[in-house]
Amino acid sequence: MPVTFWTGAINEPHAFDARVGFYDTTLRDGEQTVGVVLTAEEKLELARGLDELGIERIEAGFPRVSADDRHAVELIRDAGLTAEVWGFSRAVEADVKALVELGVGASVIESPISDLKLDALGVDREAMLERIVYAISFAVDQGITVAFFGVDGTRADLGYFETVYKTAVEAGAQEVVLVDTLGIATPEAVADLVGRTREWLGADRAIHFHGHNDFGLATAAAVAAARAGANWIQGTVNGMGERAGNANLPEIALALRGLYGIETHLRLEHVRSFSEKLRELSGYELEPYKPLVGENLFRRESGAVASQFHDPPAIEPYSSDLVGTERGIVLGKKSGIDSIRIKAQELGLELDDEGQRALLARVKELGTRKRGVLTDEEFRQLARG
């Protein structure tokens, strides 16, 4: 296998072994991004794309939200995907019944467990515990595999957290999800909570981590969860979600593979095309400097960097081939003489040294004036002029 990461040896002392699966909630939690509305047919198209990416579990949606959401679950259920199709339910009997009617065989069942959430809802701890037991027991009796999802768990009282999760397992939950709803947990705190939960529930209990990115730590927290023994990482593509979004599954896969040597089933070479389709259907843009999918990752304007363009490991941490894209030079205010030479060769323009230097001055002037990069046609016009 060719070397695709050029990260050096600095991370080697911190490597660890882990088997991590991805549970994608783009179609449910991701759609909670403000202003995003996806049709049932669009969700089916995206579910097929997620399946092709190698996502092992796809949360098809919350069927009680609307008729469209219910229809989306039906379409994805019948799509013949390789990935497992999961549903979403609150600790409410009617939610579980909707999943049973649809024949969904696995679902997270969520319930708030922090005092801040419980107080806002006007429900005490004991009453919420009763709801959790009833909903999980009912779901399990109906043949549904349950992963209990304690909303705002990272702000819950630790003693109550332990009681809730032990009770959920006793009620029949086969798996559990540790939920950092507001993205407030440091990676160290996430690792500690995963470790404690493993001690409380036993080594064989499947543990998920579901994190948000309000402090910009969702990827780091997910990696910390994996290091501490979490089996599943929940998140979305492009980091979609409420507020600052969810943990970004492709970024986590990239970090695990490139920095820790941990392979996952996610196919990095297909992420950029899927990311673009998701943006198109969702109606929003991402920063051009976004990790993995940003349009500027392998484009170079700086003259100092262009002088090393022939040697990718000198200026990039991983190969463009890894993520299925191409490298390129763009021209603007920050270009240098090597930028002109490379672009001229690319476009088949013959320029001597004097011509290159004269053209560089014109490129810098136009790039400054338009406050952006030049198109290839603008460059050709300057070269002709």
Side-chain angles (χ1 to χ4, degrees), residues 32-338:
Q32 292 181 210
T33 303
V34 171
V36 172
V37 177
L38 298 168
T39 68
E41 291 72 21
E42 288 169 341
K43 288 185 178 180
L44 175 60
E45 179 181 359
L46 292 172
R48 286 176 171 149
L50 290 167
D51 197 39
E52 291 171 0
L53 281 182
I55 295 291
E56 294 98 333
R57 291 179 173 180
I58 298 172
E59 192 173 87
F62 181 15
R64 288 203 70 215
V65 167
S66 69
D68 279 347
D69 286 86
R70 183 185 180 93
H71 184 44
V73 174
E74 290 175 326
L75 291 177
I76 296 168
R77 176 201 65 194
D78 296 337
L81 304 180
T82 300
E84 296 177 19
V85 176
W86 280 60
F88 179 87
S89 170
R90 297 166 298 180
V92 174
E93 182 178 333
D95 288 6
V96 178
K97 284 183 175 179
L99 295 173
V100 174
E101 292 168 3
L102 288 168
V104 176
S107 181
V108 297
I109 291 183
E110 73 150 22
S111 181
I113 62 172
S114 71
D115 289 333
L116 287 165
K117 291 285 190 184
L118 295 177
D119 291 346
L121 295 171
V123 180
D124 64 30
R125 290 183 178 184
E126 194 58 37
M128 187 56 72
L129 202 58
E130 291 174 2
R131 291 186 190 183
I132 292 168
V133 170
Y134 180 80
I136 292 176
S137 301
F138 179 69
V140 171
D141 287 344
Q142 301 301 312
I144 294 176
T145 297
V146 173
F148 174 66
F149 187 102
V151 175
D152 206 21
T154 52
R155 296 197 299 173
D157 173 79
L158 201 57
Y160 184 60
F161 181 105
E162 179 182 357
T163 297
V164 168
Y165 276 76
K166 284 182 175 178
T167 303
V169 168
E170 290 168 2
Q174 293 94 330
E175 304 182 9
V176 297
V177 188
L178 308 189
V179 189
D180 190 18
T181 301
L182 298 180
I184 57 85
T186 65
E188 295 83 0
V190 168
D192 181 63
L193 188 59
V194 170
R196 288 173 183 265
T197 305
R198 176 71 66 208
E199 291 176 5
W200 294 330
L201 304 183
D204 296 331
R205 187 70 52 188
I207 295 177
H208 302 225
F209 175 69
H210 178 109
H212 285 253
N213 201 38
D214 295 74
F215 285 83
L217 289 174
T219 294
V223 170
R227 179 187 286 276
N231 313 94
W232 294 92
I233 301 298
Q234 297 194 0
T236 63
V237 176
N238 290 346
M240 288 180 70
E242 289 188 278
R243 304 181 320 278
N246 287 53
N248 188 321
L249 294 183
E251 289 184 12
I252 295 164
L254 181 69
L256 286 173
R257 182 174 173 187
L259 304 181
Y260 296 95
I262 296 171
E263 295 291 343
T264 69
H265 289 117
L266 196 137
R267 301 178 67 185
L268 293 172
E269 70 274 18
H270 295 311
V271 169
R272 287 174 70 92
S273 59
F274 181 83
S275 169
E276 184 176 357
K277 172 58 67 175
L278 179 58
R279 282 175 275 166
E280 175 189 327
L281 295 178
S282 302
Y284 66 87
E285 296 296 329
L286 291 174
E287 309 98 319
Y289 39 81
K290 185 79 170 172
L292 203 157
V293 299
E295 65 180 37
N296 284 351
L297 293 189
F298 297 96
R299 301 199 308 169
R300 300 288 176 262
E301 180 187 355
S302 167
V305 176
S307 66
Q308 305 168 55
F309 188 75
H310 63 286
D311 188 8
I315 57 174
E316 292 157 13
Y318 54 86
S319 167
S320 59
D321 293 337
L322 179 74
V323 294
T325 192
E326 296 179 353
R327 307 171 69 241
I329 289 289
V330 295
L331 302 175
K333 172 190 172 183
K334 297 176 285 293
S335 294
I337 196 65
D338 287 302

Side-chain angles (χ1 to χ4, degrees), residues 14-25:
H14 309 288
F16 63 95
D17 292 325
R19 293 178 63 87
V20 180
F22 290 130
Y23 176 111
D24 184 273
T25 182

Side-chain angles (χ1 to χ4, degrees), residues 295-296 299-302 328-336 339-340 343 346-347 349 358-384:
E295 65 180 37
N296 284 351
R299 301 199 308 169
R300 300 288 176 262
E301 180 187 355
S302 167
I329 289 289
V330 295
L331 302 175
K333 172 190 172 183
K334 297 176 285 293
S335 294
S339 308
I340 301 298
K343 179 59 73 171
E346 177 187 320
L347 300 178
L349 302 176
L359 188 54
L360 175 60
R362 292 197 290 271
V363 164
K364 285 179 170 290
E365 189 277 329
L366 180 56
T368 301
R369 180 155 41 89
K370 69 178 293 188
R371 302 181 73 176
V373 298
L374 280 63
T375 65
D376 285 352
E377 183 55 35
E378 286 173 329
F379 180 68
R380 286 191 182 96
Q381 290 177 3
L382 289 181
R384 287 195 297 266

